[in-house]
Amino acid sequence: MDRSSLFQLIQEQLDPENTGFIAVENFTSLVEHHELQLDPSKLDMLLALVQSNEEGQVCYQELIELMSSKRSSSFRRAIANGRRTLQREILLDETGLGLYKRFVRYVAYEILPCETDRRWYFHQNRLCPPPVFIAIVTIVQIIVFMCYGIMLNKWVLQTYQPDFMKSPLVYHPGHRAQVWRFFSYMFMHVGLEQLGFNALLQLMIGVPLEMVHGILRISLLYMAGVLAGSLTVSITDMRAPVVGGSGGVYALCSAHLANVVMNWAGMRCPYKLLRMILALVCMSSEVGRAVWLRFSPPLPSSGPQPSFMAHLSGAVVGISMGLLILRSYEESLQKQCSWWVIVFSFITFLLFAIFWNIFAYELLGVQIPPAP
């Protein structure tokens, strides 16, 4: 039975008067006594939709949306209220999976705290579009670093090389009128160790997040962390330049870690406590290293070293904006009041930072180091 025939059967037999609603007992009888050629996960979703209803009827339109691979609002309510029960074993018990499907299952358990969401993502996942944003950003960062490494013949502490700071990609307070620098600094790195740390974290955490939540949400989160990093430095550390993608990386990491903490009981990733401790230790050590380079540089330098405030502001963006993105899997952000509150707060910060960069430096008489 194809989908159109099934929809026609449901409408003719269960809703002949076109009321838009179907009695629960009639729908349950249809599911139990007809051979519906649907994958097992959709049968679970349909039964969950039925079991969650308290008014004795199912909305025909929501049923059509669910069977057309769209999460219906009533099913989302059933998930939120915990009134659904899965009819089959958990996703980890699936056998005979190929390599790609096993990886998708691994990602589902790494990112999603709810078994129903995991099953839905697992069965709805498609390789197209692939998670390309984080991969492209990482590749560009590596290429830029290698180009400057070869040109300067220097692979660590590159900021001590004057030609490095002359790059049109580095954010420098003397060049803050060049707006692209508030973003492009994410492609420059102090040295091999900073690049390696950022690339490893954003690939390990960013790629699974992008697979589940999509390129639009993850790119928005990453770029918001990058922009917040440079703007925060321009306000709090006004004489310092900025290099590295730490703002975006810390936005991804803090969002994921906060999501794990908020849904601790539901997360099924192995050794989650140990992994969280290791992640926090690594992130804290990277911040400590950035603070040390900023205030106690190991070599004499012609100007202030890059600021560490991008790390902290990226983490704040991840906990606020990112946590909401990760908690609203497959749900429209535009319909959430809290999302608009966060967007309004970010825009307010953005406008304040713009006015600060235009007027505050002259009003406060800040002595900016000479632009390279």
Side-chain angles (χ1 to χ4, degrees):
M1 182 183 299
D2 59 20
R3 182 176 298 172
S4 59
S5 300
L6 177 59
F7 291 165
Q8 184 178 3
L9 173 65
I10 293 176
Q11 187 171 16
E12 291 178 352
Q13 294 189 5
L14 305 184
D15 188 23
E17 300 180 358
N18 292 322
T19 62
F21 294 92
I22 303 172
V24 169
E25 57 270 15
N26 293 340
F27 176 74
T28 305
S29 176
L30 175 70
V31 172
E32 293 177 350
H33 296 93
H34 289 76
E35 295 183 359
L36 304 180
Q37 296 181 359
L38 298 172
D39 62 68
S41 66
K42 281 196 174 181
L43 284 177
D44 288 346
M45 304 300 177
L46 292 172
L47 291 174
L49 175 63
V50 172
Q51 294 166 359
S52 67
N53 189 272
E54 297 178 350
E55 300 177 358
Q57 56 187 9
V58 176
C59 176
Y60 175 74
Q61 184 59 40
E62 289 182 340
L63 175 62
I64 299 303
E65 289 180 356
L66 177 62
M67 298 184 67
S68 301
S69 299
K70 296 180 180 179
R71 302 282 292 268
S72 70
S73 60
S74 61
F75 181 65
R76 285 199 298 268
R77 289 196 300 270
I79 291 177
N81 296 332
R83 294 192 299 264
R84 84 280 185 270
T85 57
L86 292 176
Q87 304 300 312
R88 301 174 67 240
E89 66 276 8
I90 62 175
L91 184 59
L92 278 176
D93 294 333
E94 296 273 1
T95 58
L97 299 177
L99 180 62
Y100 174 71
K101 273 298 185 181
R102 288 200 298 270
F103 178 67
V104 171
R105 180 174 61 183
Y106 165 79
V107 169
Y109 274 90
E110 282 289 309
I111 304 302
L112 296 171
C114 171
E115 185 66 25
T116 304
D117 279 348
R118 296 181 194 121
R119 292 176 59 82
W120 182 269
Y121 166 73
F122 177 81
H123 289 283
Q124 297 299 320
N125 175 265
R126 299 292 183 270
L127 188 58
C128 185
V132 296
F133 174 76
I134 295 297
I136 291 175
V137 168
T138 304
I139 291 173
V140 173
Q141 289 173 339
I142 293 174
I143 292 175
V144 170
F145 177 81
M146 291 184 65
C147 290
Y148 276 93
I150 294 173
M151 182 178 67
L152 304 175
N153 194 25
K154 191 176 182 65
W155 301 93
V156 295
L157 297 177
Q158 291 184 342
T159 52
Y160 290 89
Q161 176 62 254
D163 290 338
F164 179 87
M165 298 304 293
K166 292 179 181 179
S167 169
L169 301 179
V170 173
Y171 167 80
H172 189 280
H175 292 307
R176 64 186 185 282
Q178 300 174 354
V179 179
W180 71 84
R181 291 176 180 262
F182 286 89
F183 294 95
S184 62
Y185 77 92
M186 71 179 187
F187 297 116
M188 306 291 288
H189 288 82
V190 171
L192 185 62
E193 67 285 353
Q194 186 190 27
L195 172 67
F197 179 84
N198 286 346
L200 181 64
L201 275 184
Q202 64 191 24
L203 287 175
M204 290 181 59
I205 296 179
V207 170
L209 287 177
E210 188 177 346
M211 288 180 63
V212 173
H213 297 283
I215 185 173
L216 182 61
R217 295 189 182 204
I218 298 306
S219 61
L220 173 63
L221 175 60
Y222 188 92
M223 297 308 295
V226 169
L227 180 58
S230 55
L231 290 177
T232 301
V233 171
S234 71
I235 295 172
T236 61
D237 199 357
M238 300 171 67
R239 301 181 70 250
V242 191
V243 294
S246 298
V249 172
Y250 274 64
L252 295 177
C253 294
S254 61
H256 177 58
L257 294 180
N259 187 51
V260 172
V261 172
M262 293 289 292
N263 302 279
W264 187 263
M267 299 302 293
R268 291 292 180 268
C269 46
Y271 309 108
K272 56 185 177 183
L273 179 59
L274 177 61
R275 292 164 63 181
M276 174 166 288
I277 292 175
L278 289 176
L280 291 175
V281 169
C282 291
M283 293 170 66
S284 300
S285 63
E286 173 63 15
V287 173
R289 173 186 167 278
V291 173
W292 172 65
L293 289 177
R294 173 67 181 89
F295 294 111
S296 300
L299 297 175
S301 179
S302 59
Q305 289 299 293
S307 176
F308 60 91
M309 292 302 298
H311 300 69
L312 304 182
S313 58
V316 172
V317 168
I319 294 174
S320 55
M321 181 185 295
L323 182 57
L324 182 62
I325 290 177
L326 303 193
R327 290 173 62 186
S328 56
Y329 167 67
E330 286 260 325
E331 187 174 354
S332 177
L333 292 173
Q334 296 92 319
K335 297 180 181 179
Q336 301 183 58
C337 179
S338 53
W339 168 252
W340 290 110
V341 171
I342 291 177
V343 170
F344 176 77
S345 301
F346 191 83
I347 293 176
T348 302
F349 167 74
L350 177 61
L351 294 176
F352 172 78
I354 292 175
F355 279 97
W356 181 276
N357 278 272
I358 295 175
F359 301 109
Y361 280 77
E362 293 184 4
L363 292 176
L364 298 176
V366 178
Q367 296 298 319
I368 301 176

